[in-house]
Structure formats: C-alpha cells, structure tokens
Amino acid sequence: MKILNKYILKSFLIPFLATFFVVLFVLVMQTLWLQFDKIAGKGISVIIILKFLGYIAQMMVSTALPIAILLSSIMALGSLSENYEFAAIKSAGVSLQRLIRPLVFLMILLSGLNFLFLNYAFPRAAFKFKNLLVDMQKTKPALALIPGTFNTEIPGYSIKFAEKYGDDDNLLKDVHIYYDLDQGGANFKVIKAERGMITTEEGSKYMTLVLENGYHYEDLIDEKKSFTRNKNVPFTKSYFDEYTVNIDISKLSNINSAEYKEDREMLSLSQLDYYRDSLKVPYDNYVHDKAKSFYVKSTLDQMYTDSLFDNNLQPTILANFDSIQKTAVINSAEERIGRTLNEIKGYKKLFKDKQKFLNVYDTEYHKRLAFSFACLVLFFIGAPLGSIIRKGGFGLPMILAIVIFVIYFFISTFGKKMAESSAITPLLGGWLATIVTLPFGILLMLRATQDKGIFNVDAFLQPITGFFRKLFNIKVKN
C-alpha cells in the first residue's frame, strides 16, 4: 500500500505543480493587464514593477490553489483511468475511496495552507499592493488622474478633464478644477482651461498644473451670511493665457491611517471578527433608538387602560365621537401617519447603508472560511469526474475545470452580493457556493464508485423511445 500511496501522490503532484504555476501566471497577467495603463511608459523602475508583481502573486495564490487542485485531480484520475491503471487497481480489491485517501489528507493540508494565505499573506499583500499604487501616484501624479470623471483623491480639489495624452500622459484637454472644497465652499472657485500640462519634479510634494487659454471664476460670498442669502452674490470672471496651479499632493501618501486599513480585504479573520462586533453594537443601538423614537412620537407610551370600564363605549373607536370630533380625530391620525411615513422614507436609505456596511464584513469573514474549504470541495468534484471521463492531459480536463470553477465563482459572487444587500444572511451568502457544489461532488463520488457515468442516457431515452414505439406500433428486431 505504501507503494500505491507514493504512486498516486506522484501522479497528482506532478500535474498539480505544473498547473498551479500556469494558473498563477495567468491570474497575475490578468490583474497586471487591468493595471497596465497605470505603470506602462511611466518611467517606473524594474524593482518597483517586480514588487508590484510579487504582491499580485501573493494575492492570487488563494485563487490559483483551488483551480490547480480541481484541474490536477481531473488530470491525475483521468490519466489513471485512460491507461487502465485504475481498472487494474480496482481488480486488486482497492476501491476509489482507498485510492484517493492519501490525496484527501493532502487536500486537508492544502486547505490549511490556503487558510493561512487568506488570513495572513493576502491581507498584507493587498495592503502593500494599494500602498505601492498610491506611492506611484505620488511619484507620478498623472497616474492618479482619470479622464472623463471627477478626481477627488486630492483633499479640497475636484479635477475633471476630457482627455489625457502625450508621451508621459501629462497633457490634458478641457480641464475643470474646483478648489477650496474643504473650506466649506460648494463650487465657489472654479478654473476652466482648454489645455493643461502636468510638470512635477520627482519627490516634490506639489503637483504643478500649467493651464492655457482659460477662465477663473469665483463667487464673492460672505461667510457671515446664510447659504440662501449667498445664492445671489456677484462673482468675478478673469481670462488668462497661461495660469500655474500648485496642488499639495503630500496627503496622497497618508496611507497608514486607520481608515485606509479598514478595507475588508486588508484585514485578517481576527480583525474582521473585531470589526463585526464593533459595528454591530452601534448598529443595534441605532435601530433601537429609531424604534423608540417612532414609539414615542406615536404617543403609544401615553396610552393606558381605564380601570373604570364604561359599558356605553362602542367597539369601533370612531363610533364614540360626534361628526366634528370624528373629523378632528381622522385629520390628526392622518397627519401623524404622514409624518411617520416621511420620516421612515428619509431613514430608509441610511438604514440600508448601515446594514450593508455591516454585512460586508460579515460576508467577507464567512467567505474566507468557505474559500479555504474550497480546496477540499473541488477535489471531491475533480477526482471522481476524472475517473468517469477517463481522459488525461490538458484538453478536456482544462475545459471541465474552467467551467466548474466559473460556476463555483459565480455562485460565490452571487451569494456575496445577496448577503451584502440583506437578501440572505451573511453566513449563507459566504457558504452558498460550498452548499451548492458539495452535494454534486458527493453524487459524482457515488457514481464513480459504482462505475456509472455522470448520468444514464439510456434511462432517460428508453421511456421516450418506448412511447413512440407503442404510438406507431414499431416492433424491435432481436
């Protein structure tokens, strides 16, 4: 049995190592392609790019591992079945469950390794990855500016432009700059220009914008007056051929703040659990306070039962009042109900946002645990599937592995979105993909053990063909 265990482990590990690095390379290249426009042709050193790739690789390990396990298990068992090795092993009295037992222990080990990556390496790599992006944006400020949208990353500024071009992407068209927004102003100071050029020295804490052919607008507001009275104040408009704007970008590198580290991807499971508990208390207090507020405003707390019951009172409330009093009671009730409904509508979006913010951390916590378990689940799908299809190599196993993992990933993302929107519980949303795919793996294992296919085509077709034979009186020749 030791020889068989070594042989099955060897048959699995060789394709596993090959597929793992291939899948990891593909995932890294995909992520790099999405960020390509931020680093290509920006004069970024090779060392920074290698760090960039290293952090992406660490983030992708937890995704590449389940894919590699699924693909290599289909390949290994498919190759054994294709070469009739599995048939020879079964003829010696060794079942499928006994054959894959050493692989099951290996999957448990790999699931634990994936858990460690998700809990420690992934959050650290995500933090370093975003850290590096922001550092590159500070070194090359043009990286932080995206055409066609309002760029608000720089405190106090909102910058929009139609196009970014040039060898270094430092030339801008149709530039709009709203500034001093952190001083309480709402678009009181605006600069518009036909063209602009970013000229910033490396390491400088200022981003210099040289604008051409534009206007400077400023509302002459009085801070002592109210917002309503400042609506009709005069403004100044001045034309310029060239205008230089120096923008402080030093705060772009302030990435070690607490709010930056609160991103769920950058937190370990213990930190996610801490945030879940710390957010739950204020959320429950908020719901309790709002419920109490509605209760008090409805004056239900002031209602009481009269100890001296009047037998002349009618069971219908309005029947106890005359016509004038009925009108007053109805109007009062309608007014209170209207106020309450308007208040509920006003708090509805805020309530949903608070609930979603809490669900995000809850769902991420359960999703991390479920994704660690995915190595074992996908193995129990891949191993029996390989013995059923009896096909090794990269062709059919690669197609099946991609289809199965896409389905798993789609269900996982679907569950995550539903949980964040409170359609289902975060526990169910995080484990939904596992709950759906695990029974399928158990079914495949049972059918592979009984030497059956994925489904019996004859059992499906025979009732149909039998019906048509009886219908048209067709006799079957023996």
Side-chain angles (χ1 to χ4, degrees), residues 29 31 46 48 55 106 117 134 151 161 164 188 224 259 270 296-298 345 396 413 459 470:
M29 289 300 104
T31 308
V46 177
I48 298 297
Y55 295 141
L106 179 62
F117 257 95
V134 177
N151 297 270
F161 52 92
K164 183 165 60 173
F188 292 146
K224 296 180 180 179
E259 61 181 43
S270 60
V296 171
K297 288 179 181 178
S298 66
K345 289 178 181 178
L396 183 59
T413 305
K470 291 180 180 179

Side-chain angles (χ1 to χ4, degrees), residues 78-240:
S79 179
L80 289 175
S81 297
E82 185 180 21
N83 298 326
Y84 298 102
E85 294 174 280
F86 184 47
I89 293 171
K90 288 178 69 176
S91 65
V94 179
S95 64
L96 176 63
Q97 290 87 339
R98 174 60 189 86
L99 179 65
I100 65 173
R101 186 183 299 171
L103 295 180
V104 172
F105 289 115
L106 179 62
M107 292 309 107
I108 295 173
L109 180 64
L110 291 177
S111 295
L113 181 64
N114 202 27
F115 171 78
L116 294 176
F117 257 95
L118 284 169
N119 194 32
Y120 298 105
F122 180 84
R124 178 183 175 277
F127 178 76
K128 294 290 185 180
F129 175 75
K130 193 167 184 179
N131 187 351
L132 192 60
L133 274 180
V134 177
D135 278 347
M136 287 192 296
Q137 289 175 356
K138 185 189 173 187
T139 305
K140 301 286 182 180
L143 296 178
L145 302 178
I146 301 172
T149 185
F150 286 98
N151 297 270
T152 57
E153 290 82 5
I154 304 173
Y157 288 85
S158 181
I159 303 172
K160 183 181 179 181
F161 52 92
E163 183 182 349
K164 183 165 60 173
Y165 63 101
D167 294 337
D168 296 326
D169 275 350
N170 64 332
L171 302 178
L172 312 177
K173 280 186 180 180
D174 192 18
V175 185
H176 295 68
I177 301 176
Y178 302 84
Y179 66 100
D180 282 355
L181 299 178
D182 55 348
Q183 304 298 323
N187 303 337
F188 292 146
K189 298 179 181 180
V190 184
I191 302 173
K192 296 182 179 180
E194 293 181 4
R195 294 180 300 277
M197 179 173 63
I198 302 174
T199 58
T200 304
E201 296 182 2
E202 187 171 344
S204 174
K205 72 173 186 175
Y206 291 99
M207 179 174 69
T208 303
L209 280 172
V210 180
L211 306 175
E212 298 178 358
N213 299 335
Y215 291 89
H216 180 278
Y217 305 89
E218 182 176 355
D219 290 339
L220 303 177
I221 63 170
D222 187 351
E223 296 181 357
K224 296 180 180 179
K225 293 182 179 180
S226 64
F227 178 79
T228 305
R229 297 183 64 184
N230 274 321
K231 284 185 177 180
N232 299 320
V233 297
F235 75 97
T236 62
K237 175 182 178 182
S238 56
Y239 173 79
F240 59 82

